[in-house]
DNA sequence: AATGAATGAGTGTTCATTCAT
DNA sequence: AATGAATGAACACTCATTCAT
C-alpha cells in the first residue's frame, strides 16, 4: 500500500514535470495529451485518472509552477541597512530570478493569452503571500522614513516596474531581439540589462515626487 | 478584370481582418481555419488560395499587424522644446498607444511563445524603421546636450523600459490583476499607471550616471 | 485482456482484408481511407491506430499479400520423374496459381507504377524464399543431367518467362483483349493459353543451346 | 487567325506532352490537374477548354500514345529470307522497342488497373492495324510452308509470348528486380534478356507440335 | 493502481471543376 | 483564344476522451 502510494506519487509528479515542459513550450492548445504521456513512463490514461483531463493537468501545472516560484522567491533576501542599496539588490535579484525561470514566465504568458481563466479557478493561490512584495513594503517604508525615497510610490507600483522589465526581457526577447537585432540573452547584454534595471528603480525612487 | 481584382482584394483583406482577431484571441494552435472562414463571406478554400495555408495566413496577419502599428506610431509626435517634457510625453503617448492596441500586443505575445519563428520568416520587417526609436534618439541627444539627462543610457535602453512597462500592463493584466487584486484596465488605474511611467523614465534619466 | 487482444486482432485483420480489396481495385492514390473504413465494422480512426496512416496500411497490405502468395506457392508440387513432364507441370500450375490471384497481380502492378518504393521498405520480404524458384532449380538440374535440357538457361531465366506470361495474361488482359478482340479470361482461351505456356517452356528448354 | 490556330495547336500539344509524362508517372488518380497545368505555359483552365476535363485529357493522352507507338512499330522491319532468322529478329526488335518506350508501357499498365475502361471509349483505336502482327502472320506462314515451324501456333499466341516478356521486363522490373536482387535494366542483363527471348521463340516454334 | 483498445467530432488541406469576363 | 477568381465536396489525418477489464 505504502509502495503503491509511492508509485502513484511518482507517476503523478512525473506527469506534472513533463506537462510543465510541454505546456510551457507549446501553449495550452498546442500541447498534446499524447505527447505528454509518451514522454513519461505511464500512459495517457493516467492523465485522466489523476487530473481529470487536459485542462485539469494544465491547472495543476499552473498551480505547481506558482507554488514553486513563490518558494524560490522566499530565498530572495537583501539585508542591506541602506534602503537604496536594498532596493537595487532586490531589483537585481528579481532580475536573476526571472532569467532562471523562463518556463514559468512562458506559462504565465500563455495563461494571459487565455485571459487568466484557469488561474482564477485555482483556490488559495492569491492568498499565497508574495514574499517579494512584503520585502518591498519594508524597504520602501525604510526609505521613505529616511527621506531618500519619494512618497508617491507604493509597493505595487514598484513591483510592476520591476516585474514588467524582468518579464519582458525574457518573454519578448524573440520579437524584440529580432526587430532591434540584439541578443537579449547574451551574458554581456544580460549584465547591462541587470544594472540598468537597478538604475531605473533607484533613479525613479530617489527623484523628488511629482 | 478590374472588378475581379477589386473583389480579390476585398476577399483577401476580409480574411486578414478576421484572422487577426481570431489569432489574437486564440493563438496560432488554438485558432481554427474553419472558424476564420465562417466569419467571412468567403470559404475556407480561399485561405489556401491566397495564403497557402494556416501558417501563411498567420504570417500575413503578423506582417500586417506590424506594418499597421508602425504606421500608427508615426503619428506619435512630441514637440516640446524641453527634453524632460518631451520624454515624458513620448512615454505617455506610447502608453496610450499600447492601451489602444491590445490585439497587436497579444499577437506579439503569441509569436514569442513560438520563439519568433514566424516573424523571422517575414522579409523586410526589420528594416521598417521604428519611428519611436528615431524620436527617442533625438530627445535623448537634446537632453544630454542640455546636461539634464544622464549619459550612460541609449535609445534601446529607454525603449526597452517603456515597452516592457506598456506591454506588461496590457499583456499580463490578467494574472497580475488577479494575484494582486487590482484592475489594471480601470480608468483610474490607467491614469495612475500612465503618470507613473512618466515618473519612472524622467526620474531615471535625470538621475546622475552610476 | 485476452478478449481485448482478440478483438484487436480481428479489427486489424478486417481492416487489412478490406484494404487489400480496395487498394487492388483502385490503386494507392485512388483508394480512399474513408471508403476502406466504411466497409469494416470499425472506424477510420483505427487505420491510424494500427497502421499509422494510409501508407502504412498499404505497406501492410503489400507485405501480407506477398506472404500469402508465398504460402500458396509452397503448395505447388510436381512429382514427376521426367524433367520434361515436371517443367510443363510447374509452368501450368504456376499459370493456374496466377489465374486464381488476380488481386495480388494487380497489387504488384500498382507497386511497380510506384517504382517499388513501398516494397523496398518492407523488411524481410526478400529473404522469404521463393518456393517456385527452388523447385525450378531442382528440375533444371535434373533435366540438364539427363541431357534433355539445354545448358545455357538458369532458374531466373525460366522464372521470368513463366512469370511474364502468367502475369501479362492477367494484368494486361483488358488492353490486349480489347485491341485483339479476344477474351483472355474465357475458359477455352485459358485452356489454350495454359497449354501454350507448357509448349513454350518445353520447346525452349529442349532445343539445343545457341 | 492562322497564328491563333498555331498557338492553339501549340497549347494543346504542350498540354498533351506534359500530361503524358505526369499520367505515366503518377497514374490517373495520382496525377494532378494543377500539376500538369503548372508545368506548361498555359493555365489549368485550358485543360477544360481543350479536353473537357481530367478524364478527357487522359483519354487524349492514351490515344496519342497508342498512335505514336503504332507509328514507331511500323518502322520495325525484318527482311530475312529465313523465317527462323526473321522471327528472332522480330522478337529482338520488339524487345528494343519496349525498352525505349517505358512511359507507354506504364500508361498501358495504368489503363489495365482501370480495367481498360478508357481505352474502350476511344474510337478507331482497334482498327489501327497492328503492324507487328501483320509481319508475324507473314513470317509464320513462311515458316510453316518451309516446314520449320510447328503448325499449332498462330500470330496471337506468338504475339502474346513476345509482348508479355517485353512488357513484364519493363513494367515489373521494380518488384522482380528487388525480390531476386537483379537489375533488369542494366546493359548486360538487357543483352542477356534480349537473346533469351529469341531463344524462347525460336525454340518453341521449331519444336514439333504437341 | 493501472491499461490497451476504441471512438466521434473535428482539423488543416487538396481536389477537379466552374464562373464571370 | 484565353484567364484569374472562386468553389464545395472530399481528403488524409488528429484530437481529447472513454470503455471495458
Amino acid at each position: 500500500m505504502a509502495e503503491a502510494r509511492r508509485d502513484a506519487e511518482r507517476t503523478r509528479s512525473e506527469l506534472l514535470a513533463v506537462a510543465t515542459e510541454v505546456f510551457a513550450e507549446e501553449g495550452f492548445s498546442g500541447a498534446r495529451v499524447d505527447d505528454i504521456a509518451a514522454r513519461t513512463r505511464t500512459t495517457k490514461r493516467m492523465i485522466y485518472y489523476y487530473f481529470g483531463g487536459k485542462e485539469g493537468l494544465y491547472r495543476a501545472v499552473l498551480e505547481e509552477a506558482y507554488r514553486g516560484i513563490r518558494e524560490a522567491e522566499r530565498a530572495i533576501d537583501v539585508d542591506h541597512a541602506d534602503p537604496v542599496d536594498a532596493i537595487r539588490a532586490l531589483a537585481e535579484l528579481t532580475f536573476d530570478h526571472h532569467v532562471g525561470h523562463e518556463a514559468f514566465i512562458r506559462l504565465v504568458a500563455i495563461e494571459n493569452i487565455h485571459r487568466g481563466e484557469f488561474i482564477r479557478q485555482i483556490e488559495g493561490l492569491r492568498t499565497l503571500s508574495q514574499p517579494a512584495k512584503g520585502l518591498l513594503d519594508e524597504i520602501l517604508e525604510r526609505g521613505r522614513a529616511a527621506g531618500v525615497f519619494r512618497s508617491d510610490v507604493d509597493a505595487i507600483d514598484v513591483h510592476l516596474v520591476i516585474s514588467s522589465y524582468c518579464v519582458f526581457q525574457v518573454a519578448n526577447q524573440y520579437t524584440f531581439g529580432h526587430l532591434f537585432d540584439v541578443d537579449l540573452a547574451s551574458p554581456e547584454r544580460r549584465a547591462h540589462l541587470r544594472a540598468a534595471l537597478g538604475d531605473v528603480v533607484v533613479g525613479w525612487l530617489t527623484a523628488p515626487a511629482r
Side-chain angles (χ1 to χ4, degrees), chain A:
Chain A
M1 189 79 160
E3 230 188 292
R5 202 175 302 140
R6 208 182 314 122
D7 283 2
E9 195 40 55
R10 201 190 54 181
T11 298
R12 226 192 93 97
S13 70
E14 191 184 356
L15 237 15
L16 216 44
V18 169
T20 300
E21 261 185 64
V22 176
F23 281 124
E25 204 52 45
E26 314 287 348
F28 178 72
S29 319
R32 300 292 165 237
V33 169
D34 277 288
D35 181 31
I36 292 168
R39 296 201 205 180
T40 68
R41 277 164 304 182
T42 20
T43 64
K44 186 168 45 162
R45 191 60 191 76
M46 289 298 97
I47 289 172
Y48 293 86
Y49 193 79
Y50 286 116
F51 302 97
K54 185 183 185 181
E55 215 177 292
L57 178 58
Y58 173 73
R59 266 195 303 265
V61 161
L62 207 56
E63 176 163 9
E64 220 228 10
Y66 265 106
R67 289 193 192 283
I69 219 77
R70 286 292 120 82
E71 197 75 36
E73 273 179 1
R74 216 162 289 138
I76 294 179
D77 195 17
V78 290
D79 73 330
H80 289 272
D82 178 21
V84 171
D85 290 347
I87 198 73
R88 181 183 291 271
L90 178 59
E92 295 183 352
L93 286 172
T94 304
F95 183 91
D96 297 339
H97 184 247
H98 279 76
V99 166
H101 291 91
E102 183 171 349
F104 174 70
I105 293 173
R106 291 174 65 85
L107 281 173
V108 172
I110 288 161
E111 176 60 9
N112 276 289
I113 290 298
H114 292 274
R115 301 193 189 277
E117 67 170 293
F118 299 106
I119 202 180
R120 256 180 269 121
Q121 298 167 23
I122 305 174
E123 308 274 304
L125 201 62
R126 197 189 286 192
T127 58
L128 219 76
S129 76
Q130 314 245 7
K133 210 201 138 217
L135 204 53
L136 245 180
D137 271 326
E138 185 249 320
I139 297 169
L140 284 178
E141 183 53 45
R142 282 199 287 127
R144 278 190 297 255
V148 292
F149 284 172
R150 62 198 297 167
S151 58
D152 60 350
V153 168
D154 68 15
I156 294 238
D157 293 333
V158 181
H159 187 60
L160 192 134
V161 168
I162 294 176
S163 286
S164 64
Y165 188 92
C166 293
V167 165
F168 184 90
Q169 151 273 348
V170 171
N172 287 48
Q173 62 179 303
Y174 303 100
T175 54
F176 192 94
H178 175 71
L179 259 13
F180 293 95
D181 202 19
V182 286
D183 178 9
L184 298 185
S186 76
E188 308 80 43
R189 213 6 112 163
R190 281 247 151 99
H192 174 77
L193 251 24
R194 186 180 193 267
L197 174 59
D199 295 346
V200 167
V201 175
V202 168
W204 171 39
L205 288 177
T206 57
R210 201 178 346 125

